[in-house]
C-alpha cells in the first residue's frame, strides 16, 4: 500500500514544509499549499492566476467584473489560447497559465524532490470546478455556476492548471496524480443548489479528468464529507478520496458502483488519519487508526466486495488538509499516515 497527502500544511516556511514531505512522503511527494505564507495559496485564490478579470479587491473577495469590456477582450484571448494549448499541445503557451511562485512557494522544490528521489509517482492538486464555481460570484453577487460563460471559464482555467502540473511532473520523470478537491460535493442536491443538476457536475469533473488522463496523469476527487460517490465515478475519475475516519459507512451506500469501480482499476484513498478533529488526532496512534481502517473496509466487505480487491487498490491518507492544525499536530498526522502505510506493507 502507498500513502498520499491531501495538500495544505500550517507552515510559514516552505523549506520546513518540504522537510515534512521528504520525511513522510518521499515515494509519492506532494506540493504543500501554505496559506500562512500568502493568501494566494488559499484554495479560494490559488488557481485563479491568469484567469480573465482576475483581481483582488480591497475586501479580499474576488469576483468577475463582466460589465467591463476588458473582461470580454481577455476572455476571447483566453479561449484562443486554450484551444491552441489543448489541440496542438503547445506547452510553451501553457506556461502563460502556470502556477507562479507567488501562488505556490513549494512547487519548484517539489519538482526538485521528484528529480532527487527519482520518484515514480507524484501528487498535485487543484480546487474543484463545482466548488470554485459556487465560491466565485459576478459583481451582482450571483454564483458563477449559474452563468454558462463564467462556469466554462472556471472549468477551462482549472483544466490548464491541471495540465501544467501534469506536464511539469512528467518532465521530472514521475507519473502525475492530480486530486480535484471538491468539498462542495456534499451540498449537491441540497436546497441551496437544488437547480444544479447531477449530470452538470459530472460533466464539469469529466472535462478536467479527461485532460489529465489524456496527457498521461491519474485523476482523483477528494471530498471530506458525505457525498454521492457515483458522481466522480461516472466522471471517469481514477481515485476517490474520502474522510474514512468519519464517513466510511457513507461510501458503502454506493457499494455496487464501488465494486465495479475497483474491478475496472479504480482506487480508494482512505482518509483514516483525522485532521478535522483535533482531539481525535491528539489521542490517535497506529493501533487505534488500524482498527478504524479495518472497520471502514468492513463496511464494503459486508456488502460483498472482496477484501483483497479493496486492499490491492487502496492508498492511506489523512482525512483532509492539515492547514488549520498546529505544526505539531500536522506533523503527527503526516507521521501517522506514513506509519500506517509501513504497517500494511509489513503484513
Amino acid at each position: 500500500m502507498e500513502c498520499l497527502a491531501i495538500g495544505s500544511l500550517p507552515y510559514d516556511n516552505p523549506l520546513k514544509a518540504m522537510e515534512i514531505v521528504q520525511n513522510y512522503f518521499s515515494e509519492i511527494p506532494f506540493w504543500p499549499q501554505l496559506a500562512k505564507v500568502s493568501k494566494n495559496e488559499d484554495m479560494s485564490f490559488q488557481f485563479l492566476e491568469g484567469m480573465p478579470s482576475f483581481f483582488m479587491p480591497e475586501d479580499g473577495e474576488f469576483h468577475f467584473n463582466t460589465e467591463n469590456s476588458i473582461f470580454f477582450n481577455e476572455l476571447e484571448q483566453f479561449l484562443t489560447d486554450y484551444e491552441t494549448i489543448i489541440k496542438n499541445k503547445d506547452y510553451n503557451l501553457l506556461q502563460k497559465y502556470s502556477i507562479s511562485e507567488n501562488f505556490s512557494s513549494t512547487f519548484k522544490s517539489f519538482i526538485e524532490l521528484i528529480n532527487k528521489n527519482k520518484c515514480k509517482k507524484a501528487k498535485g492538486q487543484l480546487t474543484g470546478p463545482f466548488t470554485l464555481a459556487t465560491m466565485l460570484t459576478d459583481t451582482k453577487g450571483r454564483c458563477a455556476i449559474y452563468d454558462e460563460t463564467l462556469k466554462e471559464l472556471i472549468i477551462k482555467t482549472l483544466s490548464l492548471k491541471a495540465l501544467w502540473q501534469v506536464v511539469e511532473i512528467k518532465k521530472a520523470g514521475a507519473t502525475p496524480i492530480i486530486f480535484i478537491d471538491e468539498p462542495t460535493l456534499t451540498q449537491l442536491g441540497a436546497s441551496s443548489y437544488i437547480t444544479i443538476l447531477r449530470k452538470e457536475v459530472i460533466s464539469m469533473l469529466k472535462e478536467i479528468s479527461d485532460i489529465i488522463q489524456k496527457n498521461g496523469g491519474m485523476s482523483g476527487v477528494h471530498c471530506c464529507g458525505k457525498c454521492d460517490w457515483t458522481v466522480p465515478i461516472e466522471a471517469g475519475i481514477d481515485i476517490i478520496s474520502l474522510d474514512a475516519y468519519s464517513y466510511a459507512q457513507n461510501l458503502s451506500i454506493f457499494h455496487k458502483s464501488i465494486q465495479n469501480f475497483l474491478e475496472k482499476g479504480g482506487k480508494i484513498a482512505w482518509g483514516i488519519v483525522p485532521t478535522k478533529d483535533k482531539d481525535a488526532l491528539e489521542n490517535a496512534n497506529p493501533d487505534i487508526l488500524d482498527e478504524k481502517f479495518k472497520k471502514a473496509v468492513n463496511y464494503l466487505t459486508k456488502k460483498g466486495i472482496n477484501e483483497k480487491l479493496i486492499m490491492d487498490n487502496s492508498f492511506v491518507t489523512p482525512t483532509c488538509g492539515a492547514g488549520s492544525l498546529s505544526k505539531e499536530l500536522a506533523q503527527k498526522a503526516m507521521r501517522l499516515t506514513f506509519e500506517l502505510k509501513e504497517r500494511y506493507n509489513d503484513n
Side-chain angles (χ1 to χ4, degrees):
M1 190 181 297
E2 297 170 310
C3 65
L4 297 170
I6 302 305
S8 63
L9 288 175
Y11 290 85
D12 55 10
N13 184 328
L15 294 178
K16 292 294 183 182
M18 290 308 299
E19 283 180 14
I20 294 293
V21 178
Q22 172 63 57
N23 290 342
Y24 303 117
F25 300 92
S26 59
E27 293 182 1
I28 308 180
F30 69 103
W31 57 274
Q33 298 162 290
L34 305 180
K36 290 188 177 179
V37 170
S38 168
K39 187 173 182 178
N40 288 346
E41 298 200 32
D42 182 88
M43 70 175 293
S44 306
F45 301 109
Q46 191 165 42
F47 303 98
L48 302 183
E49 186 182 19
M51 182 185 288
S53 192
F54 174 70
F55 68 99
M56 190 80 71
E58 291 183 5
D59 61 9
E61 296 297 326
F62 171 79
H63 57 264
F64 293 99
N65 186 6
T66 54
E67 297 173 1
N68 190 325
S69 61
I70 296 174
F71 169 79
F72 293 101
N73 292 335
E74 291 179 347
L75 177 62
E76 184 178 2
Q77 184 60 58
F78 172 84
L79 293 174
T80 300
D81 289 348
Y82 180 86
E83 291 300 317
T84 302
I85 291 166
I86 299 302
K87 288 184 177 180
N88 301 335
K89 294 193 173 183
D90 188 337
Y91 297 149
N92 289 324
L93 181 57
L94 179 61
Q95 291 300 318
K96 180 178 176 181
Y97 300 98
S98 66
I99 304 170
S100 74
E101 289 190 40
N102 287 333
F103 285 77
S104 174
S105 55
T106 61
F107 194 87
K108 183 178 178 182
S109 298
F110 161 72
I111 294 297
E112 291 171 353
L113 184 59
I114 297 171
N115 278 306
K116 174 186 172 184
N117 291 354
K118 295 181 169 55
C119 300
K120 293 182 180 179
K121 300 173 187 172
K123 176 190 168 290
Q125 62 272 329
L126 69 153
T127 308
F130 179 42
T131 294
L132 197 57
T134 53
M135 293 170 69
L136 302 183
T137 63
D138 61 19
T139 48
K140 296 179 181 178
R142 186 168 179 258
C143 280
I145 197 165
Y146 299 115
D147 184 301
E148 284 299 317
T149 299
L150 298 183
K151 185 180 74 172
E152 282 303 306
L153 176 55
I154 288 168
I155 294 169
K156 286 177 167 48
T157 298
L158 291 174
S159 295
L160 293 182
K161 299 296 182 183
L163 178 58
W164 179 78
Q165 291 181 67
V166 166
V167 170
E168 294 301 309
I169 292 170
K170 284 180 68 178
K171 283 196 296 188
T175 296
I177 300 172
I178 309 297
F179 270 25
I180 303 167
D181 294 336
E182 280 287 14
T184 309
L185 269 183
T186 61
Q187 300 300 309
L188 183 61
S191 58
S192 50
Y193 299 118
I194 196 68
T195 60
I196 298 172
L197 300 178
R198 180 176 174 278
K199 65 180 182 179
E200 183 180 354
V201 178
I202 291 172
S203 176
M204 294 168 76
L205 291 171
K206 181 174 174 55
E207 186 168 339
I208 297 174
S209 176
D210 284 354
I211 285 174
I212 292 168
Q213 293 167 343
K214 288 175 182 177
N215 287 276
M218 297 176 66
S219 63
V221 163
H222 170 72
C223 181
C224 49
K226 291 182 180 180
C227 76
D228 179 352
W229 287 106
T230 65
V231 169
I233 289 173
E234 290 180 28
I237 295 292
D238 297 303
I239 305 168
I240 55 174
S241 169
L242 72 149
D243 175 351
Y245 186 90
S246 299
Y247 301 110
Q249 193 168 9
N250 170 248
L251 184 67
S252 67
I253 295 171
F254 311 99
H255 59 93
K256 291 182 180 179
S257 293
I258 296 297
Q259 178 162 348
N260 187 50
F261 174 69
L262 293 172
E263 289 174 347
K264 291 182 176 180
K267 300 186 183 300
I268 302 173
W270 298 89
I272 208 66
V273 179
T275 53
K276 296 188 295 180
D277 186 335
K278 295 179 183 178
D279 290 338
L281 179 55
E282 286 175 349
N283 295 318
N285 62 48
D287 290 335
I288 290 173
L289 298 182
D290 181 42
E291 286 302 312
K292 271 281 189 181
F293 181 60
K294 289 175 180 175
K295 185 177 180 180
V297 171
N298 194 43
Y299 284 127
L300 293 183
T301 59
K302 285 193 297 186
K303 297 291 187 179
I305 303 178
N306 181 272
E307 183 176 345
K308 187 176 187 303
L309 176 66
I310 298 168
M311 297 302 289
D312 286 349
N313 292 286
S314 289
F315 296 95
V316 61
T317 76
T319 57
C320 198
S324 63
L325 298 173
S326 67
K327 294 175 185 177
E328 293 75 20
L329 278 180
Q331 183 169 359
K332 180 178 182 180
M334 301 303 112
R335 174 174 54 79
L336 284 171
T337 304
F338 173 79
E339 289 175 353
L340 283 174
K341 183 261 295 188
E342 292 291 287
R343 172 179 289 212
Y344 299 136
N345 288 339
D346 288 341
N347 292 338

